[in-house]
Amino acid sequence: AKEGGRDGYRFYQLEMQTDADAKLQMETDLRHALSANEFKLYYQPQVDEFGRILGAEALLRWFKKDGEMVSPSEFIPIAEMTGLILPIGEWVIKEAFGQLKKWKQADIAPDFRLSINISPYQFDQDNFLETITSLLNETGVSASYVTLEITEGITVKDIHLTIDKMHALTDLGFKISMDDFGTGYSSLMYLKKLPLSELKVDQSFVRDLHVDQSDAEIAATIIAMAKSLSLDVVAEGVEKESQLSFLTYHGCSVFQGYYFHKPMPAKEMDDLLFRNVVV
Ligand code: C2E
Ligand code: CA
Ligand code: CA
Ligand code: CA
């Protein structure tokens, strides 16, 4: 047993080392990814209960030279640890604004809104407001069609500073959405104080709500709470008809999930928007 334990330990160390090596390798690769043009934005439609497209969420994709696709949940944490999230996040905003501008100019998306994920690390930068304002001016897109998705990870150390920053953003015309709601630690008081327009019910509550009574209750409670705070509510990770009908019954009216559409390249979104306008 002793031997086994030691082997187990050695194996563990080896695994840790491999893990650290992999992270280092990913950091090196990430540093090149921007200049090598390896990032792409995909778009996942947000729809009403009838499937009509109201907007989309921009989701980052990394295609390495060898064709391998790395998931954002793998590389975003490393980008955040290394600070690379700042140039990457800026690229995302610029790319998303540029694409939105094209859709608006093509006149296939008059009321269409675009949601962009903002890392807490990015949001907390002193110059975030300047950065996003200059990207807005550069691309000439209207902030009133853009929703910024933040998470409960944003700093609440100086809540007044955070509130001021959010107000400056909403003054520019942006809407602010609280993403992954229910998975973090934000108190109800902050929810009331922050100038939010939207809550996103995290997919961890949506996934099993048709079989798990407590997930169902949490999802219903979040929807009710959002409504009582006059916030829009978006359910993500909707994969089944039964989830859709439960959420609709409880008052949710915007949905995102594989049941309707998977995230897709801009080109595919073009076609979808075109059909959406025509019908
Ligand atoms: P998120 O913001 O919660 O995005 C929703 C995730 O759920 C996306 O994963 C989406 O593809 C996935 N999803 C949507 N519908 C369904 C469904 O019906 N079933 C299932 N199983 N999954 C569904 P994705 O694209 O892999 O992104 C993962 C996370 O990476 C995002 O979670 C977000 O936290 C982060 N991320 C993605 N793009 C960006 C970005 O541009 N900037 C930042 N800071 N983070 C990003
Ligand atoms: Ca999101
Ligand atoms: Ca989310
Ligand atoms: Ca998530």
Side-chain angles (χ1 to χ4, degrees):
K2 206 176 165 192
E3 286 292 295
R6 223 188 297 151
D7 275 358
Y9 178 67
R10 250 179 46 208
F11 179 71
Y12 178 66
Q13 265 199 323
L14 202 69
E15 217 179 24
M16 291 265 286
Q17 188 55 44
T18 320
D19 215 44
D21 287 349
K23 276 187 187 143
L24 205 66
Q25 184 59 51
M26 187 180 275
E27 182 185 343
T28 309
D29 292 350
L30 262 180
R31 284 192 192 282
H32 293 292
L34 265 182
S35 52
N37 247 325
E38 292 177 353
F39 291 117
K40 263 187 85 124
L41 284 186
Y42 272 33
Y43 300 87
Q44 185 179 33
Q46 296 184 338
V47 302
D48 67 14
E49 64 184 293
F50 308 108
R52 287 181 296 224
I53 295 168
L54 307 169
E57 176 178 7
L59 293 160
L60 187 56
R61 296 289 178 264
W62 178 17
F63 295 95
K64 291 168 79 167
K65 263 180 285 299
D66 58 9
E68 185 200 353
M69 205 269 280
V70 191
S71 157
S73 38
E74 271 177 71
F75 70 82
I76 297 271
I78 291 173
E80 285 174 333
M81 273 190 294
T82 54
L84 286 167
I85 192 67
L86 295 179
I88 295 173
E90 218 175 298
W91 179 87
V92 167
I93 297 172
K94 190 174 176 173
E95 179 75 13
F97 282 1
Q99 184 58 60
L100 182 60
K101 175 87 181 182
K102 280 185 207 158
W103 283 326
K104 293 293 177 190
Q105 279 175 337
D107 212 22
I108 50 176
D111 302 318
F112 179 88
R113 305 190 52 82
L114 191 58
S115 294
I116 304 175
N117 290 288
I118 305 294
S119 155
Y121 186 85
Q122 195 182 0
F123 182 88
D124 284 342
Q125 296 297 308
D126 290 336
N127 65 357
F128 178 65
L129 206 65
E130 281 166 44
T131 306
I132 205 161
T133 306
S134 66
L135 291 172
L136 210 53
N137 296 336
E138 218 175 287
T139 49
V141 82
S142 164
S144 57
Y145 294 113
V146 178
T147 299
L148 303 175
E149 294 193 4
I150 58 168
T151 63
E152 294 165 291
I154 57 155
T155 194
V156 287
K157 255 185 295 167
D158 189 345
I159 189 72
H160 297 291
L161 206 73
T162 302
I163 293 173
D164 285 351
K165 192 182 273 189
M166 285 193 189
H167 274 298
L169 289 166
T170 57
D171 286 349
L172 284 170
F174 291 110
K175 285 190 174 179
I176 303 177
S177 173
M178 183 63 84
D179 199 2
D180 301 345
F181 185 72
T183 62
Y185 50 75
S186 71
S187 75
L188 293 179
M189 187 186 57
Y190 289 147
L191 260 197
K192 215 183 89 177
K193 283 188 175 171
L194 302 178
L196 300 170
S197 316
E198 179 184 287
L199 285 190
K200 290 188 91 170
V201 184
D202 190 66
Q203 53 180 284
S204 61
F205 304 121
V206 174
R207 192 178 306 129
D208 298 321
L209 60 74
H210 55 301
V211 285
D212 184 320
Q213 182 61 22
S214 61
D215 280 352
E217 273 162 23
I218 291 170
T221 304
I222 292 175
I223 297 167
M225 192 173 59
K227 302 201 104 185
S228 73
L229 293 167
S230 303
L231 300 172
D232 295 332
V233 50
V234 179
E236 59 181 21
V238 179
E239 293 184 353
K240 295 181 171 69
E241 161 94 70
S242 57
Q243 295 164 337
L244 174 66
S245 55
F246 177 93
L247 292 160
T248 305
Y249 176 80
H250 283 90
C252 183
S253 51
V254 186
F255 311 91
Q256 196 183 330
Y258 297 172
Y259 179 72
F260 295 101
H261 301 281
K262 287 192 170 173
M264 61 186 85
K267 194 80 200 60
E268 269 174 56
M269 192 72 212
D270 280 351
D271 301 340
L272 211 58
L273 282 174
F274 187 70
R275 270 181 279 148
N276 202 51
V277 153
V278 170
V279 292

